[in-house]
């Protein structure tokens, strides 16, 4: 038992009264069978094809939330309106050469899959997801960031407990995370965990640009109560919706199974997008909403 109420997919996507009550109480919704397996497979297949086509000599960066090095890296900073490949710690040697097959070396792809790839675009802009976002209060939703989190077998890295509002900053905080299991996840292969109700606590940190450098600023030093965290196992097709101030993360994957997930973050265009956000878009690639012409 996870202690979190699990829901079936509402008919037209809009959250039911029970879902809204759980959202307010817990700051997280687990919606089973929200996306058909065919769409999950199509996303996983596209992700693998992007990695297959990627030439490691074009450049790459290790992405680690436990030993962050990416902040100084142009490769990361320029990925806001591109699709770039980030590698696991342990996938390259001291000279930067891959020591594992590409498909088993990836930490994540990011961060504009939803705008640049037609398959990710179609699944991200499902009408049911737009109805869910509207029902959860995003008046003018803007899809700002998408990632495939690879979690490869054996070396899949941990994602430390964090609040998404620290990384996608608006005033007031408005980000909502839509996390979709592309494969079954459980405690054995590093499923998500979250602290139910923790979204009602303060935003602890912001990660932002100051004088050209990306820095983490502490707003509130109170540690997360990780003893209150619950595991959120999710079968393929399950959507986990995360409030922007909900503390959540995932354990490493030391198993022989991969744990691929797709995650999409939306903010409210009615809130002010902080100019110091790490995530930048070129002027000809503005954030768009759920509609084709938004
Ligand atoms: O997939 C994971 O392990 C973590 C994802 C996450 O933290 C997020 O989408 O905000």
């Amino acid at each position: 038992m996870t202690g979190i109420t699990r829901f079936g997919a509402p008919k037209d996507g809009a959250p039911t009264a029970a879902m809204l009550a759980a959202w307010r109480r817990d700051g997280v919704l687990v919606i089973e069978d929200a996306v058909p397996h065919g769409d999950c497979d199509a996303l996983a297949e596209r992700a693998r094809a992007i990695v297959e086509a990627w030439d490691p000599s074009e450049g790459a960066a290790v992405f680690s939330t436990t030993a962050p090095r990416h902040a100084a890296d142009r490769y990361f900073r320029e990925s806001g309106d591109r699709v770039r490949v980030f590698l696991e710690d342990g996938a390259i040697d001291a000279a930067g050469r891959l020591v594992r097959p590409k498909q088993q070396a990836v930490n994540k792809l990011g961060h504009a899959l939803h705008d640049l790839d037609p398959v990710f675009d179609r699944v991200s802009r499902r009408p049911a997801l737009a109805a869910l976002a509207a029902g959860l209060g995003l008046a003018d939703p803007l899809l700002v960031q998408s990632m495939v989190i690879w979690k490869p077998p054996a070396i899949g890295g941990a994602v430390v407990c964090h609040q998404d509002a620290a990384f996608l900053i608006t005033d007031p905080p408005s980000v909502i995370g839509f996390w979709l299991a592309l494969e079954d996840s459980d405690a054995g292969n590093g499923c998500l965990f979250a602290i139910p109700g923790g979204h009602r606590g303060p935003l602890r940190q912001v990660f932002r640009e100051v004088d050209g450098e990306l820095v983490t600023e502490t707003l509130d030093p109170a540690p997360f109560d990780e003893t209150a965290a619950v595991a959120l196992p999710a079968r393929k097709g399950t959507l986990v919706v995360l409030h922007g101030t909900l503390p959540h993360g995932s354990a490493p994957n030391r198993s022989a199974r991969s744990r691929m997930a797709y995650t999409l973050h939306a903010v409210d265009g009615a809130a002010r997008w902080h100019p110091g956000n790490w995530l930048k878009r070129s002027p000809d690639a503005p954030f768009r909403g759920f509609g084709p012409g938004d």
Side-chain angles (χ1 to χ4, degrees), residues 85-156:
V85 180
F86 297 89
L87 299 176
E88 286 290 355
D89 222 358
I92 54 174
D93 64 16
R97 283 181 304 250
L98 271 178
V99 295
R100 293 171 67 94
K102 283 197 291 188
Q103 299 286 350
Q104 290 170 39
V106 176
N107 171 278
K108 68 172 182 176
L109 303 185
H111 291 91
L113 291 145
H114 60 292
D115 284 337
L116 299 178
D117 183 275
V119 180
F120 282 93
D121 176 14
R122 176 177 64 75
V123 178
S124 303
R125 292 189 166 86
R126 292 162 58 79
L129 200 52
L132 180 61
L136 296 181
L138 288 180
D140 176 15
L142 293 175
L143 311 189
V144 294
Q145 172 183 273
S146 51
M147 298 180 277
V148 171
I149 314 280
W150 220 261
K151 282 266 188 196
I155 62 164

Side-chain angles (χ1 to χ4, degrees), residues 147 149 151 157 159-160 162 164 177-179 190-192 242 248-251 259 261 263-265:
M147 298 180 277
I149 314 280
K151 282 266 188 196
V159 174
V160 295
H162 66 282
D164 290 339
F178 299 92
W179 182 99
C191 67
L192 286 179
L242 300 154
H248 67 282
S250 63
R259 196 237 62 180
T263 178
L264 174 72
H265 289 94

Side-chain angles (χ1 to χ4, degrees), residues 69-247:
R69 284 186 296 272
H70 56 275
D73 203 317
R74 271 182 63 186
Y75 187 82
F76 170 75
R77 297 180 69 155
E78 292 172 351
S79 66
D81 51 13
R82 299 179 198 193
V83 175
R84 287 199 154 166
V85 180
F86 297 89
L87 299 176
E88 286 290 355
D89 222 358
I92 54 174
D93 64 16
R97 283 181 304 250
L98 271 178
V99 295
R100 293 171 67 94
K102 283 197 291 188
Q103 299 286 350
Q104 290 170 39
V106 176
N107 171 278
K108 68 172 182 176
L109 303 185
H111 291 91
L113 291 145
H114 60 292
D115 284 337
L116 299 178
D117 183 275
V119 180
F120 282 93
D121 176 14
R122 176 177 64 75
V123 178
S124 303
R125 292 189 166 86
R126 292 162 58 79
L129 200 52
L132 180 61
L136 296 181
L138 288 180
D140 176 15
L142 293 175
L143 311 189
V144 294
Q145 172 183 273
S146 51
M147 298 180 277
V148 171
I149 314 280
W150 220 261
K151 282 266 188 196
I155 62 164
V159 174
V160 295
C161 194
H162 66 282
Q163 296 165 302
D164 290 339
F167 298 94
L168 297 164
I169 310 163
T170 62
D171 184 18
S174 64
V175 64
I176 295 180
F178 299 92
W179 182 99
L180 172 65
L182 302 184
E183 297 177 311
D184 293 350
S185 66
D186 52 46
N189 63 352
C191 67
L192 286 179
F193 65 79
I195 303 176
H199 65 302
R200 288 182 258 116
L203 181 61
R204 308 304 207 279
Q205 294 184 322
V206 283
F207 175 71
R208 67 181 184 104
E209 192 177 54
V210 178
D211 298 331
E213 298 291 318
L214 290 178
V215 296
T216 299
E217 288 177 345
T218 298
L219 306 179
D220 189 310
F224 297 128
D225 178 11
E226 293 195 44
T227 62
V230 298
L232 300 174
R235 296 188 75 82
K236 178 165 152 180
T238 299
L239 186 67
V240 180
V241 190
L242 300 154
H243 190 285
T245 51
L246 184 81

